[in-house]
Amino acid sequence: MEYEKDYLTGLWTRQALYAYYHGLALGSRIHFMFLDVDNFKIVNDIYGHNQGDALLVNIAGILQKSAPMARAVRMGGDEFVLVFPREVSREELCAMAGRIIERVRSKEGAEQILTNVSMSIGILYDEEVGDTLEETLLKSDMAMYHAKDNGKGRYVVFNDIAELVLGELEMEKRQQQALENREFEVRYVPIVMAQTPRLHMAQAYLVWNMPDGRCKGQEEFLPLFIKNGFAAELNAWVIEKVLQDIAVFRGAKERPDRVAVRISRLQLMNGSLLSWLESMMRRYKVKAEELELEIEESAFSTRGKEEMFANIEALHKCGFHISFTGVGLDFGSLRYWDMLPIDTLKFQREYMRHAFSSHKGRRIMKTLMAVGRELKMDIVADGVSSREDIMYLIECGCNAVGGDYFSKPMNVEDFLEYVRTNLRTEMRVTEFPFWTDYAAVDGAMRAVPSGVGVHLTEGISANWGGVLFDGGDVRHNVLELPPELLASDSYTVCMWIKPLELNGWSSVLYARYNNGFMSMVPYSPDHSTVYRVHQDNFVAQFHDILVRMVQRNKWSFLCVTFDAFTCVGRLYLNGRLAGEAEDVPQLPACKQILLGGDPFQKSFRGYVSGLVFCDSVMTETEIGDIYNDFCKDPGFVGDREEFWIEGDMRDSE
């Protein structure tokens, strides 16, 4: 019959295959291969359809030569099927599949085509003949697509992945019903600052509570939903649920300032995304800065980038935080790090496990994180399971971490309870009164004196004691403070100092970091007071803020701030901004803090009082208020420095 032969290749047609299958005895056994030519469309586009047809004819010949006992079928386009009798073993099937793949890859008989061409094959072994062919074709077709999804140019045996594939089929069939039945649940993972137990944000995590009692995490079903286009509808539901939960978070004293939630590629390609989000935000009275939109790194491997880029730019301008999540999956986002307004990079747990397994992997990860920091992005590591990993990530410049080391994903109530009992959420201010000992007010931090020339004494006011440093050789007579005081990337440090001696470049405060140092220097040889930041790998480069020099035998109020987001450092003198610098390097992982000296110069000789550390950047107004409050303290022994302001000058006129 005419329909039995394909007009181009001479192989059986789809109709002939169906007729053959229905002629087999029910219950008999048979083997199938489903084959698809990888990159065939590219061949057609570059070389034209004549060359594409010639390639198909050539491949048909390869199939007949490699599997002479099989019935070869062209299903249509670049898809083929091979049907084998029961007598062929599994080993023989796999060997034939390997030969076909190798011959197609080498372009046997089609050497004029330079494009990479390969064959993905799905094998169905020892299948029972049933009433219809569709299920048999579907199984072998699924195996073929698994081969494609795992790199192309390979074969996959359906029998090996049957449980996985059938589970995916079940999920696909039930996805819409599961959403309608509210079987999905949003839980939250705490993302914690790497160096201090402070909550950085909450991260939404989706689970599927199936009717049979199984609970699947999002990594088990989201890739499938993304592939079949259901992720956009599901993500829209998740975003609305997160907005509802933010209202619950607001009722708690200890709560996250921001919640991260995924947004799908299809949503980013939707021109009405921004208007939909804004309407949802108005409905639930949520501000844009309370939400971080996570974009899967793999979202950029497909077409539609122009629409996605436009939406990302618009979302960021409206105040939404934008992050790339799953970094390390294939590094598909790397080329866009400098093109898009990305606030955060979130490294994938599987990538980090791989990176931690070798020295080279660790170095590559450290370099990638350093690039992100140079681009002023936060670096988040997901899936951390040990303190040792966290310590290395801190050295890499990682801001925050999440994973089983802290907690599994939790519902809203459990999340808030975990935060309340284990983490901090507010700006932390640590004061050292220096009255009867060297402990901070809250008792959590304590300075340790080194040398006999460190004395507790009276300070700037009746409310504050002080420390008298006798000075001396390098690192003699100093106080060592806990490095956790500067665990946050951004910081504010304030203190009153009264130098008894001005030694060139002696530090009153010194902080050693993983790759550099910060110091506050009351006196430099050019008669300036200096805030200095230095990176080890730039030996001759110092980032200095120089202001008028403090006076000997007189109390002065010094304050420095560093903003890790803008990389701006500021130095305040007596409550007023005296100098600032841009492009100050961000130094990760504080290792040591010394008060009264440093490892290079003679130690500081004089008094220190009113020492305050803050793990955020205080504003000029806040620092001015602190200065004025000191000046109003009972027993204040300093000289309040008055400043002319425009209003006073106008009044005098």
Side-chain angles (χ1 to χ4, degrees), residues 239-301:
I239 289 172
E240 183 169 8
K241 185 65 174 65
V242 167
L243 295 177
Q244 294 171 4
D245 289 344
I246 287 176
V248 178
F249 286 144
R250 286 199 188 118
K253 181 179 179 182
E254 301 287 339
R255 62 186 184 274
D257 293 329
R258 188 166 77 248
V259 179
V261 60
R262 296 193 183 202
I263 190 164
S264 75
R265 178 181 63 86
L266 292 178
Q267 286 177 299
L268 284 170
M269 294 173 63
N270 189 335
S272 60
L273 171 64
L274 181 57
S275 60
W276 175 79
L277 261 177
E278 287 178 331
S279 68
M280 297 294 289
M281 306 287 277
R282 287 192 297 269
R283 178 187 300 178
Y284 296 102
K285 297 180 174 59
V286 173
K287 298 178 182 178
E289 55 266 27
E290 295 179 89
L291 208 61
E292 177 173 297
L293 301 176
E294 297 179 329
I295 304 169
E296 281 282 353
E297 182 178 60
S298 57
F300 294 94
S301 61

Coordinates of all heavy atoms in Angstrom, one line a residue, residues 239-301:
I239 N 2.6 34.7 44.8 CA 2.8 36.1 45.1 C 1.7 36.7 45.9 O 1.9 37.5 46.9 CB 3.0 36.9 43.8 CG1 4.4 36.5 43.2 CG2 3.0 38.4 44.0 CD1 4.6 37.1 41.8
E240 N 0.4 36.4 45.5 CA -0.7 37.0 46.3 C -0.7 36.4 47.7 O -1.0 37.2 48.7 CB -2.0 36.6 45.6 CG -3.2 37.2 46.3 CD -4.5 37.1 45.5 OE1 -4.5 36.4 44.5 OE2 -5.5 37.7 46.0
K241 N -0.3 35.1 47.9 CA -0.3 34.6 49.2 C 0.8 35.2 50.1 O 0.6 35.5 51.3 CB 0.0 33.1 49.1 CG 0.0 32.4 50.5 CD -1.4 32.4 51.1 CE -1.5 31.6 52.4 NZ -0.7 32.1 53.5
V242 N 2.0 35.5 49.4 CA 3.1 36.2 50.1 C 2.6 37.6 50.6 O 2.9 38.0 51.7 CB 4.3 36.3 49.3 CG1 5.3 37.2 49.8 CG2 4.9 34.9 49.1
L243 N 1.9 38.3 49.7 CA 1.4 39.6 50.1 C 0.5 39.6 51.3 O 0.5 40.4 52.2 CB 0.7 40.3 48.9 CG 1.6 40.6 47.7 CD1 0.8 41.2 46.6 CD2 2.8 41.5 48.0
Q244 N -0.4 38.6 51.3 CA -1.2 38.4 52.5 C -0.4 38.1 53.8 O -0.7 38.6 54.8 CB -2.2 37.2 52.2 CG -3.2 37.4 51.1 CD -4.0 36.2 50.8 OE1 -3.8 35.1 51.4 NE2 -4.8 36.3 49.7
D245 N 0.7 37.3 53.6 CA 1.5 36.9 54.8 C 2.3 38.1 55.3 O 2.6 38.2 56.5 CB 2.4 35.8 54.4 CG 1.7 34.4 54.3 OD1 0.5 34.4 54.7 OD2 2.2 33.5 53.7
I246 N 2.7 39.0 54.4 CA 3.4 40.2 54.8 C 2.6 41.0 55.8 O 3.1 41.5 56.8 CB 3.8 41.1 53.6 CG1 5.0 40.4 52.8 CG2 4.3 42.5 54.1 CD1 5.4 41.1 51.6
A247 N 1.3 41.0 55.6 CA 0.4 41.7 56.6 C 0.5 41.0 57.9 O 0.4 41.7 59.0 CB -1.0 41.8 56.0
V248 N 0.6 39.7 57.9 CA 0.7 39.0 59.2 C 2.1 39.3 59.8 O 2.2 39.5 61.1 CB 0.6 37.4 59.0 CG1 0.8 36.7 60.3 CG2 -0.8 37.1 58.3
F249 N 3.1 39.3 59.0 CA 4.5 39.6 59.6 C 4.5 41.0 60.3 O 5.1 41.2 61.3 CB 5.5 39.7 58.4 CG 5.9 38.3 57.9 CD1 6.1 38.1 56.6 CD2 6.0 37.2 58.8 CE1 6.5 36.9 56.1 CE2 6.3 36.0 58.3 CZ 6.6 35.8 56.9
R250 N 3.7 41.9 59.7 CA 3.7 43.3 60.3 C 3.2 43.3 61.7 O 3.6 44.2 62.5 CB 2.9 44.2 59.4 CG 3.5 44.6 58.1 CD 2.8 45.9 57.6 NE 3.2 46.2 56.2 CZ 2.4 46.2 55.2 NH1 1.1 45.9 55.3 NH2 2.8 46.5 54.0
G251 N 2.4 42.4 62.1 CA 1.9 42.3 63.4 C 2.8 41.8 64.4 O 2.5 41.9 65.6
A252 N 4.0 41.3 64.0 CA 5.0 40.8 64.9 C 6.1 41.8 65.2 O 6.5 42.6 64.3 CB 5.6 39.5 64.4
K253 N 6.6 41.8 66.4 CA 7.7 42.7 66.8 C 9.0 42.4 66.0 O 9.7 43.2 65.5 CB 7.9 42.7 68.3 CG 9.0 43.7 68.7 CD 9.2 43.6 70.2 CE 10.3 44.5 70.7 NZ 10.6 44.5 72.2
E254 N 9.3 41.1 66.0 CA 10.5 40.6 65.3 C 10.0 40.0 63.9 O 9.4 39.0 63.9 CB 11.2 39.5 66.1 CG 11.7 40.0 67.5 CD 12.9 40.9 67.4 OE1 13.6 40.9 66.3 OE2 13.1 41.7 68.3
R255 N 10.3 40.7 62.9 CA 9.8 40.3 61.6 C 10.8 40.7 60.5 O 11.6 41.5 60.6 CB 8.4 41.1 61.3 CG 8.6 42.6 61.3 CD 7.2 43.3 61.2 NE 7.4 44.7 61.0 CZ 7.5 45.5 62.0 NH1 7.5 45.1 63.3 NH2 7.6 46.8 61.8
P256 N 10.6 40.1 59.3 CA 11.5 40.4 58.2 C 11.1 41.8 57.5 O 9.9 42.1 57.4 CB 11.3 39.3 57.2 CG 9.9 38.8 57.5 CD 9.7 39.0 59.0
D257 N 12.1 42.5 57.1 CA 11.8 43.7 56.4 C 11.5 43.5 54.9 O 10.8 44.3 54.2 CB 13.0 44.7 56.4 CG 13.3 45.2 57.8 OD1 12.4 45.3 58.6 OD2 14.5 45.4 58.1
R258 N 11.9 42.3 54.4 CA 11.7 42.0 53.0 C 11.4 40.5 52.8 O 12.0 39.7 53.6 CB 12.9 42.4 52.2 CG 12.7 42.3 50.7 CD 13.8 43.1 50.0 NE 15.1 42.4 49.9 CZ 16.2 42.8 50.6 NH1 16.2 43.9 51.3 NH2 17.3 42.1 50.4
V259 N 10.6 40.1 51.9 CA 10.3 38.7 51.6 C 10.6 38.5 50.1 O 10.2 39.3 49.2 CB 8.8 38.4 51.8 CG1 8.6 36.9 51.5 CG2 8.4 38.6 53.3
A260 N 11.4 37.4 49.8 CA 11.7 37.1 48.4 C 10.8 36.1 47.9 O 10.5 35.1 48.6 CB 13.2 36.6 48.4
V261 N 10.3 36.3 46.7 CA 9.4 35.3 46.0 C 9.8 35.2 44.5 O 10.2 36.2 43.9 CB 7.9 35.8 46.2 CG1 7.7 37.2 45.6 CG2 7.0 34.8 45.6
R262 N 9.6 34.0 44.0 CA 10.0 33.8 42.6 C 9.0 34.4 41.6 O 7.8 34.4 41.9 CB 10.2 32.3 42.3 CG 11.3 31.7 43.1 CD 11.6 30.3 42.6 NE 12.6 29.7 43.4 CZ 13.4 28.7 43.1 NH1 13.3 28.2 41.9 NH2 14.3 28.2 43.9
I263 N 9.5 34.8 40.5 CA 8.6 35.3 39.4 C 9.1 34.5 38.2 O 10.3 34.4 37.9 CB 8.8 36.8 39.3 CG1 7.7 37.3 38.3 CG2 10.1 37.3 38.8 CD1 7.5 38.8 38.4
S264 N 8.1 34.0 37.4 CA 8.4 33.1 36.3 C 8.8 33.9 35.0 O 8.5 35.1 34.9 CB 7.2 32.2 36.0 OG 6.2 33.0 35.3
R265 N 9.5 33.2 34.1 CA 9.8 33.8 32.9 C 8.6 34.3 32.1 O 8.6 35.3 31.5 CB 10.6 32.7 32.0 CG 11.0 33.2 30.7 CD 11.8 32.1 29.9 NE 10.9 31.0 29.7 CZ 10.1 30.9 28.6 NH1 10.0 31.8 27.8 NH2 9.3 29.8 28.5
L266 N 7.5 33.5 32.1 CA 6.3 33.9 31.4 C 5.7 35.1 32.0 O 5.2 36.0 31.2 CB 5.3 32.7 31.4 CG 5.7 31.5 30.6 CD1 4.6 30.4 30.8 CD2 5.9 31.8 29.1
Q267 N 5.8 35.3 33.3 CA 5.3 36.5 33.9 C 6.2 37.7 33.5 O 5.6 38.8 33.2 CB 5.3 36.4 35.4 CG 4.2 35.5 36.0 CD 4.3 35.4 37.5 OE1 5.3 34.9 38.0 NE2 3.3 35.8 38.2
L268 N 7.5 37.5 33.4 CA 8.4 38.6 33.0 C 8.2 39.0 31.5 O 8.5 40.1 31.1 CB 9.8 38.2 33.2 CG 10.3 38.3 34.7 CD1 11.7 37.6 34.8 CD2 10.3 39.7 35.2
M269 N 7.6 38.1 30.7 CA 7.3 38.4 29.3 C 5.9 39.0 29.1 O 5.6 39.4 28.0 CB 7.5 37.2 28.5 CG 8.9 36.6 28.4 SD 9.0 35.0 27.6 CE 8.5 35.4 25.9
N270 N 5.2 39.2 30.2 CA 3.8 39.7 30.2 C 3.9 41.2 30.3 O 4.4 41.8 31.3 CB 3.0 39.1 31.3 CG 1.5 39.5 31.2 OD1 1.2 40.5 30.6 ND2 0.7 38.6 31.8
G271 N 3.3 41.9 29.3 CA 3.4 43.4 29.3 C 2.6 44.0 30.4 O 2.8 45.2 30.7
S272 N 1.6 43.3 31.0 CA 0.8 43.9 32.0 C 1.3 43.5 33.4 O 0.6 43.7 34.4 CB -0.7 43.4 31.9 OG -0.8 42.0 31.9
L273 N 2.5 42.9 33.5 CA 3.0 42.4 34.8 C 3.0 43.5 35.9 O 2.6 43.4 37.0 CB 4.4 41.8 34.6 CG 5.1 41.5 36.0 CD1 4.4 40.4 36.7 CD2 6.6 41.1 35.7
L274 N 3.6 44.7 35.5 CA 3.8 45.8 36.5 C 2.4 46.3 37.0 O 2.3 46.5 38.2 CB 4.6 46.9 35.8 CG 4.9 48.1 36.8 CD1 5.6 47.6 38.0 CD2 5.7 49.1 36.0
S275 N 1.5 46.5 36.1 CA 0.2 47.0 36.5 C -0.5 46.0 37.4 O -1.2 46.4 38.4 CB -0.7 47.4 35.3 OG -0.9 46.2 34.5
W276 N -0.4 44.7 37.1 CA -1.0 43.7 37.9 C -0.3 43.7 39.3 O -1.0 43.6 40.3 CB -0.8 42.3 37.3 CG -1.3 41.2 38.2 CD1 -2.6 40.8 38.4 CD2 -0.5 40.3 39.0 NE1 -2.6 39.7 39.3 CE2 -1.3 39.4 39.7 CE3 0.9 40.2 39.2 CZ2 -0.9 38.4 40.5 CZ3 1.4 39.3 40.1 CH2 0.5 38.4 40.7
L277 N 1.0 43.8 39.4 CA 1.7 43.8 40.7 C 1.3 45.0 41.5 O 1.0 44.9 42.7 CB 3.2 43.8 40.4 CG 3.9 42.4 40.6 CD1 5.4 42.6 40.3 CD2 3.7 41.8 41.9
E278 N 1.2 46.2 40.8 CA 0.9 47.4 41.6 C -0.6 47.3 42.1 O -0.8 47.8 43.2 CB 1.0 48.6 40.6 CG 2.5 48.9 40.3 CD 2.6 50.1 39.4 OE1 1.7 50.3 38.5 OE2 3.6 50.8 39.5
S279 N -1.5 46.7 41.4 CA -2.8 46.6 41.9 C -2.9 45.6 43.1 O -3.6 45.9 44.0 CB -3.8 46.1 40.8 OG -3.5 44.7 40.4
M280 N -2.1 44.5 43.0 CA -2.0 43.6 44.1 C -1.4 44.3 45.4 O -1.9 44.1 46.5 CB -1.2 42.4 43.7 CG -1.8 41.6 42.6 SD -3.4 40.8 43.0 CE -2.9 39.6 44.2
M281 N -0.4 45.1 45.1 CA 0.3 45.8 46.3 C -0.7 46.7 46.9 O -0.7 46.9 48.1 CB 1.5 46.5 45.8 CG 2.5 45.7 45.0 SD 3.4 44.5 46.0 CE 4.7 45.5 46.6
R282 N -1.5 47.4 46.1 CA -2.5 48.4 46.7 C -3.6 47.6 47.5 O -4.0 48.0 48.6 CB -3.2 49.2 45.6 CG -2.3 50.3 45.0 CD -3.1 51.2 44.1 NE -3.7 50.5 43.0 CZ -3.1 50.4 41.8 NH1 -1.9 50.9 41.6 NH2 -3.7 49.8 40.8
R283 N -4.0 46.4 47.0 CA -5.0 45.7 47.6 C -4.6 45.2 49.0 O -5.3 45.3 50.0 CB -5.4 44.4 46.8 CG -6.4 43.5 47.5 CD -6.6 42.2 46.7 NE -7.1 42.5 45.4 CZ -7.3 41.5 44.5 NH1 -7.1 40.2 44.9 NH2 -7.7 41.7 43.3
Y284 N -3.3 44.8 49.1 CA -2.8 44.3 50.4 C -2.0 45.3 51.2 O -1.4 45.0 52.2 CB -2.0 43.0 50.2 CG -2.9 41.9 49.7 CD1 -2.9 41.6 48.3 CD2 -3.8 41.3 50.5 CE1 -3.7 40.6 47.8 CE2 -4.6 40.3 50.0 CZ -4.6 39.9 48.7 OH -5.4 38.9 48.2
K285 N -1.9 46.6 50.6 CA -1.2 47.7 51.3 C 0.3 47.3 51.6 O 0.8 47.5 52.7 CB -1.9 48.1 52.6 CG -3.3 48.6 52.4 CD -4.0 49.0 53.7 CE -5.3 49.7 53.5 NZ -6.3 48.8 52.7
V286 N 0.9 46.8 50.6 CA 2.4 46.4 50.7 C 3.2 47.3 49.8 O 2.8 47.7 48.7 CB 2.6 44.9 50.3 CG1 4.0 44.6 50.2 CG2 1.8 44.0 51.2
K287 N 4.3 47.7 50.3 CA 5.2 48.6 49.6 C 6.2 47.8 48.7 O 6.5 46.6 49.1 CB 6.0 49.5 50.5 CG 5.2 50.4 51.3 CD 6.0 51.3 52.3 CE 5.1 52.2 53.2 NZ 6.0 52.9 54.1
A288 N 6.6 48.4 47.6 CA 7.5 47.6 46.7 C 8.8 47.2 47.4 O 9.3 46.1 47.1 CB 7.8 48.5 45.5
E289 N 9.3 48.0 48.3 CA 10.6 47.6 48.9 C 10.5 46.5 49.9 O 11.5 45.9 50.4 CB 11.2 48.8 49.7 CG 10.3 49.5 50.7 CD 9.5 50.7 50.1 OE1 9.3 50.7 48.9 OE2 9.2 51.6 50.9
E290 N 9.2 46.1 50.2 CA 9.0 44.9 51.1 C 9.1 43.6 50.3 O 9.0 42.5 50.9 CB 7.7 45.0 51.8 CG 7.6 46.2 52.7 CD 6.2 46.2 53.4 OE1 6.0 45.6 54.4 OE2 5.3 46.9 52.8
L291 N 9.3 43.7 49.0 CA 9.2 42.5 48.2 C 10.5 42.4 47.3 O 10.9 43.3 46.8 CB 8.0 42.5 47.3 CG 7.4 41.1 46.8 CD1 6.9 40.4 48.0 CD2 6.3 41.4 45.9
E292 N 11.1 41.2 47.3 CA 12.2 40.9 46.4 C 11.7 39.9 45.4 O 11.2 38.8 45.7 CB 13.4 40.3 47.2 CG 14.5 40.0 46.3 CD 15.8 39.6 47.0 OE1 16.3 40.4 47.7 OE2 16.2 38.4 46.9
L293 N 11.9 40.2 44.1 CA 11.4 39.3 43.0 C 12.6 38.5 42.5 O 13.6 39.0 42.1 CB 10.8 40.1 41.9 CG 9.6 41.0 42.3 CD1 9.2 41.8 41.1 CD2 8.5 40.1 42.8
E294 N 12.5 37.2 42.7 CA 13.6 36.3 42.3 C 13.4 35.8 40.9 O 12.3 35.3 40.5 CB 13.7 35.0 43.2 CG 13.9 35.4 44.7 CD 13.9 34.1 45.5 OE1 13.2 33.2 45.2 OE2 14.7 34.1 46.5
I295 N 14.4 35.9 40.1 CA 14.4 35.5 38.7 C 15.3 34.3 38.6 O 16.5 34.3 38.9 CB 14.8 36.6 37.7 CG1 14.0 37.8 37.9 CG2 14.8 36.1 36.3 CD1 14.5 39.0 37.2
E296 N 14.8 33.1 38.1 CA 15.6 32.0 37.9 C 16.7 32.3 36.8 O 16.4 32.9 35.8 CB 14.8 30.8 37.4 CG 14.0 30.1 38.5 CD 14.9 29.2 39.3 OE1 16.1 28.9 38.9 OE2 14.4 28.6 40.3
E297 N 17.9 31.8 37.1 CA 19.0 32.0 36.1 C 18.7 31.4 34.8 O 19.0 32.0 33.7 CB 20.3 31.4 36.7 CG 21.5 31.6 35.8 CD 22.8 31.1 36.4 OE1 22.8 29.9 36.6 OE2 23.7 31.9 36.6
S298 N 18.0 30.3 34.8 CA 17.7 29.6 33.5 C 16.7 30.3 32.7 O 16.4 30.0 31.6 CB 17.2 28.2 33.8 OG 16.1 28.3 34.7
A299 N 16.0 31.4 33.3 CA 15.0 32.1 32.5 C 15.6 32.8 31.3 O 14.8 33.2 30.4 CB 14.3 33.2 33.4
F300 N 16.9 33.0 31.2 CA 17.5 33.8 30.1 C 18.0 32.9 29.0 O 18.7 33.4 28.1 CB 18.6 34.7 30.7 CG 18.1 35.8 31.6 CD1 18.1 35.6 33.0 CD2 17.6 36.9 31.1 CE1 17.6 36.5 33.8 CE2 17.1 37.9 31.9 CZ 17.1 37.7 33.3
S301 N 17.7 31.6 29.1 CA 18.2 30.7 28.1 C 17.2 30.6 26.9 O 17.5 29.8 26.0 CB 18.4 29.3 28.7 OG 17.2 28.8 29.2

